[in-house]
Amino acid sequence: RYFTHSTGHGVGLEIHEAPRVAAGYKDVLQPGMVITIEPGVYFPGKWGVRIEDMVAVREGGCEVLTPTSKDFRVI
């Protein structure tokens, strides 16, 4: 219930484009598409976090375009 943000969306001329990457959507990803993968968890009245990556869809797989560390850091 705390994962209220969709998984991601397409990126092109606009930052939010089809295809939508979320439960219930049946869009088929095609080579050449660029999408975001941005799961978010939000605890009302406390905090939330979203981790976002850009991913290029390739023949037979994908390529993460934002290869940054996902290690937890306390600041």
Side-chain angles (χ1 to χ4, degrees):
R1 71 179 191 223
Y2 299 112
F3 289 90
T4 57
H5 194 270
S6 66
T7 301
H9 55 80
V11 176
L13 295 176
E14 300 293 328
I15 190 62
H16 292 98
E17 293 188 356
R20 187 165 172 100
V21 183
Y25 284 82
K26 299 187 187 296
D27 295 323
V28 177
L29 300 179
Q30 301 291 330
M33 290 179 165
V34 176
I35 60 170
T36 63
I37 300 297
E38 51 184 270
V41 60
Y42 302 94
F43 295 92
K46 295 182 180 177
W47 56 271
V49 64
R50 187 182 324 167
I51 298 172
E52 184 167 341
D53 282 304
M54 297 281 252
V55 176
V57 180
R58 304 284 190 221
E59 286 287 341
C62 64
E63 175 187 358
V64 178
L65 302 175
T66 50
T68 56
S69 169
K70 305 298 187 292
D71 294 337
F72 182 75
R73 294 185 182 166
V74 177
I75 299 174

Coordinates of all heavy atoms in Angstrom, one line a residue:
R1 N 0.8 -1.2 0.0 CA 0.0 0.0 0.0 C 0.8 1.3 0.0 O 0.3 2.3 -0.3 CB -1.0 0.0 1.1 CG -0.3 0.2 2.5 CD -1.4 0.2 3.6 NE -0.8 0.6 4.8 CZ -1.1 0.0 6.0 NH1 -1.9 -1.0 6.1 NH2 -0.5 0.5 7.0
Y2 N 2.1 1.2 0.3 CA 3.0 2.3 0.3 C 3.7 2.6 -1.0 O 4.3 3.6 -1.2 CB 4.0 2.2 1.5 CG 3.3 2.1 2.8 CD1 3.4 1.0 3.6 CD2 2.6 3.2 3.3 CE1 2.8 0.9 4.8 CE2 2.0 3.2 4.6 CZ 2.1 2.0 5.3 OH 1.5 1.9 6.5
F3 N 3.6 1.7 -1.9 CA 4.2 1.8 -3.2 C 3.1 2.4 -4.1 O 2.5 1.7 -4.9 CB 4.7 0.5 -3.8 CG 5.9 0.0 -3.1 CD1 5.8 -0.8 -1.9 CD2 7.2 0.4 -3.5 CE1 7.0 -1.2 -1.3 CE2 8.3 0.0 -2.8 CZ 8.2 -0.9 -1.7
T4 N 2.9 3.7 -4.1 CA 1.8 4.4 -4.8 C 2.2 4.9 -6.1 O 1.4 5.4 -6.9 CB 1.2 5.5 -3.9 OG1 2.2 6.4 -3.6 CG2 0.6 4.9 -2.6
H5 N 3.5 5.0 -6.4 CA 4.0 5.6 -7.6 C 4.1 4.4 -8.7 O 4.5 3.3 -8.3 CB 5.4 6.2 -7.4 CG 5.8 7.1 -8.5 ND1 6.6 6.6 -9.5 CD2 5.6 8.4 -8.7 CE1 6.8 7.6 -10.3 NE2 6.3 8.7 -9.8
S6 N 3.8 4.8 -9.9 CA 4.0 3.7 -11.0 C 5.5 3.4 -11.1 O 6.4 4.1 -10.7 CB 3.4 4.3 -12.3 OG 4.2 5.3 -12.8
T7 N 5.7 2.3 -11.8 CA 7.1 1.8 -12.0 C 7.9 2.7 -12.9 O 9.1 3.0 -12.7 CB 7.1 0.4 -12.6 OG1 6.4 -0.4 -11.6 CG2 8.5 -0.1 -12.7
G8 N 7.3 3.3 -14.0 CA 8.0 4.2 -14.9 C 7.2 4.6 -16.1 O 6.0 4.4 -16.1
H9 N 7.9 5.2 -17.0 CA 7.2 5.7 -18.2 C 8.2 5.9 -19.3 O 9.5 5.9 -19.1 CB 6.5 7.0 -17.9 CG 7.4 8.1 -17.3 ND1 8.3 8.8 -18.1 CD2 7.6 8.4 -16.0 CE1 9.0 9.6 -17.3 NE2 8.6 9.4 -16.0
G10 N 7.8 6.1 -20.5 CA 8.6 6.4 -21.7 C 9.2 7.8 -21.6 O 8.7 8.7 -21.0
V11 N 10.3 8.0 -22.3 CA 11.0 9.3 -22.4 C 11.4 9.5 -23.8 O 11.9 8.6 -24.5 CB 12.3 9.3 -21.5 CG1 13.1 10.6 -21.7 CG2 12.0 9.0 -20.1
G12 N 11.1 10.7 -24.3 CA 11.4 11.1 -25.7 C 11.5 12.6 -25.8 O 12.3 13.2 -25.1
L13 N 10.6 13.1 -26.7 CA 10.6 14.6 -26.8 C 10.0 15.2 -25.5 O 10.4 16.4 -25.2 CB 9.8 15.0 -28.0 CG 10.4 14.6 -29.4 CD1 9.4 15.0 -30.5 CD2 11.8 15.2 -29.6
E14 N 9.2 14.5 -24.9 CA 8.6 15.0 -23.6 C 9.2 14.0 -22.5 O 9.5 12.9 -22.8 CB 7.1 14.9 -23.6 CG 6.4 15.8 -24.7 CD 6.6 17.3 -24.4 OE1 6.7 17.7 -23.2 OE2 6.7 18.0 -25.4
I15 N 9.2 14.5 -21.3 CA 9.8 13.6 -20.2 C 8.8 12.5 -19.8 O 9.2 11.5 -19.4 CB 10.2 14.5 -19.0 CG1 11.0 13.6 -18.0 CG2 9.0 15.1 -18.3 CD1 12.3 13.0 -18.5
H16 N 7.5 12.8 -19.9 CA 6.5 11.8 -19.6 C 5.8 11.4 -20.9 O 5.0 12.1 -21.4 CB 5.5 12.3 -18.6 CG 6.1 12.5 -17.2 ND1 6.5 13.7 -16.8 CD2 6.4 11.6 -16.2 CE1 7.0 13.6 -15.6 NE2 7.0 12.4 -15.2
E17 N 6.1 10.2 -21.4 CA 5.5 9.7 -22.7 C 5.1 8.3 -22.5 O 5.5 7.6 -21.5 CB 6.5 9.8 -23.8 CG 6.8 11.2 -24.2 CD 7.7 11.2 -25.5 OE1 8.0 10.1 -26.0 OE2 8.0 12.3 -26.0
A18 N 4.3 7.8 -23.4 CA 4.1 6.3 -23.5 C 5.4 5.7 -23.9 O 6.2 6.3 -24.5 CB 3.0 6.1 -24.6
P19 N 5.6 4.4 -23.5 CA 4.6 3.6 -22.8 C 4.6 3.8 -21.3 O 5.7 4.3 -20.7 CB 5.1 2.2 -23.1 CG 6.6 2.3 -23.2 CD 6.8 3.7 -23.8
R20 N 3.5 3.6 -20.6 CA 3.5 3.6 -19.2 C 3.9 2.3 -18.7 O 3.5 1.2 -19.2 CB 2.1 3.9 -18.7 CG 2.0 4.2 -17.2 CD 0.7 4.9 -16.9 NE 0.5 4.9 -15.5 CZ 0.7 6.0 -14.8 NH1 1.2 7.1 -15.3 NH2 0.6 5.9 -13.5
V21 N 4.8 2.3 -17.7 CA 5.3 1.0 -17.1 C 4.7 0.9 -15.7 O 5.1 1.6 -14.7 CB 6.8 1.0 -17.0 CG1 7.3 -0.3 -16.4 CG2 7.4 1.3 -18.4
A22 N 3.6 0.2 -15.6 CA 2.8 0.1 -14.4 C 1.9 -1.1 -14.4 O 1.6 -1.7 -15.4 CB 2.0 1.3 -14.1
A23 N 1.5 -1.5 -13.2 CA 0.6 -2.7 -13.1 C -0.7 -2.4 -13.9 O -1.2 -1.3 -13.9 CB 0.2 -2.9 -11.6
G24 N -1.1 -3.4 -14.6 CA -2.3 -3.3 -15.4 C -2.1 -2.8 -16.8 O -3.0 -2.9 -17.7
Y25 N -0.9 -2.2 -17.2 CA -0.7 -1.8 -18.5 C 0.0 -2.9 -19.3 O 0.8 -3.6 -18.8 CB 0.2 -0.5 -18.5 CG -0.5 0.7 -18.1 CD1 -0.7 1.0 -16.8 CD2 -1.0 1.6 -19.1 CE1 -1.4 2.1 -16.4 CE2 -1.7 2.7 -18.7 CZ -1.9 3.0 -17.4 OH -2.6 4.1 -17.0
K26 N -0.4 -3.0 -20.6 CA 0.1 -4.2 -21.4 C 0.9 -3.7 -22.6 O 1.0 -4.4 -23.5 CB -1.1 -5.0 -21.8 CG -1.9 -5.6 -20.6 CD -2.9 -6.6 -21.1 CE -3.8 -7.0 -19.9 NZ -3.2 -7.8 -18.9
D27 N 1.5 -2.5 -22.5 CA 2.3 -2.0 -23.5 C 3.5 -2.9 -23.7 O 4.1 -3.4 -22.8 CB 2.8 -0.6 -23.2 CG 1.7 0.5 -23.1 OD1 0.7 0.4 -23.9 OD2 1.8 1.4 -22.3
V28 N 3.9 -3.1 -25.0 CA 5.0 -4.0 -25.3 C 6.2 -3.1 -25.5 O 6.1 -2.2 -26.4 CB 4.7 -4.9 -26.5 CG1 6.0 -5.7 -26.9 CG2 3.5 -5.8 -26.2
L29 N 7.3 -3.3 -24.8 CA 8.5 -2.5 -25.0 C 9.2 -3.0 -26.3 O 9.4 -4.1 -26.5 CB 9.4 -2.6 -23.8 CG 8.8 -2.1 -22.5 CD1 9.8 -2.3 -21.3 CD2 8.3 -0.7 -22.5
Q30 N 9.7 -2.0 -27.0 CA 10.4 -2.3 -28.3 C 11.8 -1.7 -28.3 O 12.1 -0.7 -27.6 CB 9.6 -1.6 -29.5 CG 8.2 -2.0 -29.6 CD 8.0 -3.4 -30.1 OE1 8.9 -3.9 -30.8 NE2 7.0 -4.1 -29.7
P31 N 12.7 -2.4 -29.0 CA 14.1 -1.9 -29.0 C 14.1 -0.5 -29.5 O 13.3 -0.1 -30.4 CB 14.8 -2.8 -30.1 CG 14.0 -4.1 -29.9 CD 12.6 -3.7 -29.7
G32 N 14.9 0.3 -28.9 CA 15.0 1.8 -29.2 C 14.3 2.7 -28.3 O 14.5 3.9 -28.2
M33 N 13.3 2.1 -27.5 CA 12.6 2.9 -26.6 C 13.5 3.2 -25.4 O 14.4 2.4 -25.0 CB 11.4 2.2 -26.0 CG 10.3 2.0 -27.0 SD 8.9 1.1 -26.2 CE 7.6 1.4 -27.4
V34 N 13.3 4.4 -24.8 CA 14.0 4.7 -23.5 C 12.9 4.9 -22.5 O 11.9 5.6 -22.7 CB 14.8 6.0 -23.6 CG1 15.4 6.4 -22.3 CG2 15.9 5.8 -24.7
I35 N 13.0 4.3 -21.4 CA 12.0 4.4 -20.3 C 12.7 4.7 -19.0 O 13.9 4.5 -18.8 CB 11.2 3.0 -20.2 CG1 12.2 1.9 -19.8 CG2 10.4 2.7 -21.4 CD1 11.4 0.6 -19.4
T36 N 11.9 5.1 -18.0 CA 12.4 5.3 -16.7 C 11.9 4.1 -15.9 O 10.9 3.5 -16.1 CB 11.8 6.5 -16.0 OG1 10.4 6.4 -15.9 CG2 12.2 7.8 -16.7
I37 N 12.7 3.7 -14.9 CA 12.3 2.8 -13.9 C 12.5 3.5 -12.6 O 13.6 3.9 -12.2 CB 13.2 1.5 -13.9 CG1 13.1 0.8 -15.2 CG2 12.8 0.6 -12.7 CD1 11.7 0.3 -15.6
E38 N 11.3 3.9 -11.9 CA 11.4 4.8 -10.8 C 10.4 4.4 -9.7 O 9.5 5.1 -9.4 CB 11.1 6.2 -11.2 CG 9.9 6.4 -12.1 CD 9.7 7.8 -12.6 OE1 9.0 8.6 -11.9 OE2 10.2 8.1 -13.7
P39 N 10.7 3.2 -9.1 CA 9.8 2.8 -8.0 C 9.9 3.8 -6.8 O 11.0 4.4 -6.6 CB 10.3 1.5 -7.6 CG 11.8 1.5 -8.0 CD 11.8 2.3 -9.2
G40 N 8.8 4.1 -6.2 CA 8.8 5.0 -5.0 C 7.9 4.4 -3.9 O 6.9 3.7 -4.1
V41 N 8.4 4.6 -2.7 CA 7.6 4.2 -1.5 C 7.4 5.5 -0.7 O 8.3 6.3 -0.5 CB 8.3 3.1 -0.8 CG1 9.7 3.5 -0.3 CG2 7.5 2.6 0.4
Y42 N 6.2 5.7 -0.2 CA 5.8 6.9 0.5 C 5.0 6.5 1.8 O 4.0 5.8 1.7 CB 5.0 7.8 -0.3 CG 5.7 8.2 -1.6 CD1 5.5 7.5 -2.8 CD2 6.6 9.2 -1.6 CE1 6.2 7.8 -3.9 CE2 7.3 9.6 -2.7 CZ 7.1 8.9 -3.9 OH 7.8 9.2 -5.0
F43 N 5.5 6.9 2.9 CA 4.9 6.7 4.2 C 4.2 8.0 4.6 O 4.9 8.9 5.0 CB 5.9 6.2 5.2 CG 6.4 4.8 4.9 CD1 7.6 4.7 4.2 CD2 5.8 3.7 5.3 CE1 8.1 3.5 3.9 CE2 6.3 2.4 4.9 CZ 7.5 2.3 4.2
P44 N 2.9 8.1 4.6 CA 2.2 9.3 4.9 C 2.6 9.9 6.2 O 2.7 9.3 7.2 CB 0.7 8.9 4.9 CG 0.7 7.7 4.1 CD 1.9 7.0 4.3
G45 N 2.9 11.2 6.2 CA 3.3 12.0 7.4 C 4.7 11.7 7.9 O 5.1 12.2 8.9
K46 N 5.4 10.8 7.2 CA 6.8 10.4 7.6 C 7.8 10.8 6.5 O 8.5 11.8 6.7 CB 6.9 9.0 7.9 CG 6.0 8.6 9.1 CD 6.2 7.1 9.4 CE 5.3 6.8 10.6 NZ 5.3 5.4 11.0
W47 N 7.9 10.0 5.5 CA 8.9 10.2 4.5 C 8.6 9.4 3.3 O 7.7 8.5 3.3 CB 10.3 9.9 5.0 CG 10.5 8.5 5.5 CD1 10.3 8.1 6.8 CD2 10.9 7.3 4.8 NE1 10.5 6.7 6.9 CE2 10.9 6.3 5.7 CE3 11.2 7.1 3.5 CZ2 11.2 5.0 5.3 CZ3 11.5 5.8 3.1 CH2 11.5 4.8 4.0
G48 N 9.3 9.6 2.2 CA 9.2 8.8 1.0 C 10.5 8.9 0.2 O 11.4 9.7 0.5
V49 N 10.7 7.9 -0.7 CA 11.9 7.9 -1.5 C 11.5 7.3 -2.9 O 10.7 6.4 -3.0 CB 13.0 7.1 -0.8 CG1 12.6 5.6 -0.6 CG2 14.3 7.2 -1.5
R50 N 12.2 7.8 -3.9 CA 12.1 7.3 -5.2 C 13.5 7.1 -5.8 O 14.3 8.0 -5.7 CB 11.2 8.2 -6.1 CG 11.0 7.6 -7.4 CD 10.2 8.5 -8.4 NE 9.2 9.3 -7.7 CZ 8.6 10.3 -8.4 NH1 8.9 10.6 -9.6 NH2 7.7 11.1 -7.8
I51 N 13.7 6.0 -6.4 CA 15.0 5.7 -7.0 C 14.8 5.6 -8.5 O 13.9 4.8 -8.9 CB 15.7 4.4 -6.5 CG1 16.0 4.6 -5.0 CG2 17.0 4.1 -7.3 CD1 16.4 3.3 -4.3
E52 N 15.4 6.5 -9.3 CA 15.1 6.5 -10.7 C 16.3 6.2 -11.6 O 17.4 6.7 -11.4 CB 14.6 7.9 -11.1 CG 14.1 8.1 -12.5 CD 13.4 9.3 -12.8 OE1 12.9 9.9 -11.9 OE2 13.3 9.7 -14.0
D53 N 16.0 5.4 -12.6 CA 17.0 5.0 -13.6 C 16.4 5.2 -15.0 O 15.2 5.1 -15.2 CB 17.5 3.6 -13.5 CG 18.4 3.3 -12.4 OD1 19.5 4.0 -12.4 OD2 18.2 2.5 -11.5
M54 N 17.2 5.6 -15.9 CA 16.8 5.6 -17.4 C 17.4 4.3 -18.0 O 18.5 4.0 -17.7 CB 17.5 6.8 -18.1 CG 17.0 8.1 -17.5 SD 15.4 8.5 -18.2 CE 15.8 9.8 -19.3
V55 N 16.5 3.7 -18.8 CA 16.9 2.4 -19.4 C 16.6 2.4 -20.8 O 15.5 2.8 -21.3 CB 16.1 1.3 -18.7 CG1 16.4 -0.1 -19.3 CG2 16.4 1.2 -17.2
A56 N 17.5 2.0 -21.7 CA 17.3 1.9 -23.1 C 17.0 0.4 -23.4 O 17.7 -0.5 -22.9 CB 18.6 2.3 -23.9
V57 N 15.9 0.2 -24.1 CA 15.4 -1.1 -24.5 C 16.2 -1.5 -25.7 O 16.3 -0.8 -26.7 CB 13.9 -1.2 -24.8 CG1 13.5 -2.6 -25.2 CG2 13.1 -0.7 -23.6
R58 N 16.9 -2.7 -25.6 CA 17.8 -3.2 -26.7 C 17.2 -4.5 -27.2 O 16.4 -5.2 -26.5 CB 19.2 -3.4 -26.2 CG 19.8 -2.1 -25.6 CD 20.2 -1.2 -26.7 NE 21.0 -0.1 -26.2 CZ 20.9 1.2 -26.5 NH1 20.0 1.5 -27.4 NH2 21.6 2.1 -26.0
E59 N 17.7 -5.0 -28.3 CA 17.3 -6.4 -28.7 C 17.8 -7.3 -27.7 O 19.0 -7.3 -27.3 CB 18.0 -6.7 -30.1 CG 17.4 -6.0 -31.3 CD 16.1 -6.6 -31.7 OE1 15.7 -7.7 -31.3 OE2 15.3 -5.9 -32.4
G60 N 17.0 -8.2 -27.2 CA 17.4 -9.2 -26.2 C 17.7 -8.7 -24.8 O 18.2 -9.4 -24.0
G61 N 17.4 -7.4 -24.5 CA 17.6 -7.0 -23.1 C 17.5 -5.5 -23.0 O 16.7 -4.8 -23.7
C62 N 18.2 -4.9 -22.1 CA 18.2 -3.5 -21.8 C 19.6 -3.0 -21.4 O 20.4 -3.8 -21.0 CB 17.1 -3.2 -20.8 SG 17.5 -3.8 -19.2
E63 N 19.7 -1.7 -21.4 CA 21.0 -1.0 -21.0 C 20.6 0.1 -20.0 O 19.8 1.0 -20.4 CB 21.7 -0.4 -22.2 CG 22.9 0.3 -21.8 CD 23.5 1.1 -23.0 OE1 23.0 0.9 -24.1 OE2 24.5 1.8 -22.8
V64 N 21.1 0.0 -18.8 CA 20.9 1.0 -17.8 C 21.8 2.2 -18.1 O 23.0 2.1 -18.2 CB 21.1 0.5 -16.4 CG1 20.9 1.6 -15.4 CG2 20.2 -0.7 -16.0
L65 N 21.2 3.4 -18.4 CA 21.9 4.6 -18.8 C 22.4 5.4 -17.6 O 23.1 6.3 -17.8 CB 21.0 5.4 -19.7 CG 20.5 4.7 -21.0 CD1 19.6 5.6 -21.7 CD2 21.7 4.3 -21.8
T66 N 21.9 5.1 -16.4 CA 22.3 5.8 -15.2 C 22.8 4.8 -14.2 O 22.2 4.5 -13.1 CB 21.1 6.5 -14.6 OG1 20.0 5.6 -14.5 CG2 20.6 7.7 -15.5
P67 N 24.0 4.3 -14.4 CA 24.6 3.3 -13.5 C 25.2 3.8 -12.2 O 26.4 3.9 -12.1 CB 25.7 2.6 -14.4 CG 26.1 3.7 -15.3 CD 24.9 4.6 -15.5
T68 N 24.3 4.3 -11.3 CA 24.8 4.8 -10.1 C 24.6 3.8 -8.9 O 23.8 2.9 -9.0 CB 24.1 6.1 -9.7 OG1 22.7 5.9 -9.7 CG2 24.4 7.2 -10.7
S69 N 25.3 4.0 -7.9 CA 25.2 3.1 -6.7 C 23.8 3.2 -6.1 O 23.3 4.3 -6.0 CB 26.3 3.4 -5.7 OG 26.0 2.7 -4.5
K70 N 23.3 2.1 -5.6 CA 22.0 2.1 -4.9 C 22.2 1.7 -3.4 O 21.3 1.4 -2.7 CB 21.1 1.0 -5.5 CG 20.8 1.2 -7.0 CD 20.2 2.5 -7.4 CE 19.7 2.6 -8.8 NZ 20.8 2.7 -9.8
D71 N 23.5 1.9 -3.0 CA 23.8 1.6 -1.6 C 23.1 2.6 -0.7 O 23.1 3.8 -1.0 CB 25.3 1.7 -1.3 CG 26.1 0.6 -2.1 OD1 25.5 -0.4 -2.4 OD2 27.3 0.8 -2.3
F72 N 22.6 2.1 0.4 CA 21.9 3.0 1.4 C 23.0 3.8 2.1 O 24.0 3.3 2.6 CB 21.1 2.1 2.4 CG 20.4 2.9 3.4 CD1 19.2 3.6 3.0 CD2 20.8 3.0 4.7 CE1 18.5 4.4 4.0 CE2 20.1 3.8 5.6 CZ 19.0 4.5 5.3
R73 N 22.7 5.1 2.2 CA 23.6 6.0 2.9 C 22.8 6.8 3.9 O 21.8 7.5 3.5 CB 24.3 6.9 2.0 CG 25.3 6.2 1.1 CD 26.0 7.1 0.2 NE 26.9 6.4 -0.7 CZ 27.5 6.8 -1.7 NH1 27.4 8.1 -2.0 NH2 28.3 6.1 -2.5
V74 N 23.2 6.9 5.1 CA 22.6 7.7 6.1 C 23.4 9.1 6.1 O 24.6 9.1 6.2 CB 22.7 7.1 7.5 CG1 22.1 8.0 8.6 CG2 22.0 5.8 7.5
I75 N 22.6 10.1 6.0 CA 23.2 11.5 5.9 C 22.9 12.3 7.2 O 21.8 12.3 7.6 CB 22.7 12.2 4.7 CG1 23.2 11.4 3.4 CG2 23.3 13.6 4.7 CD1 22.6 12.0 2.2

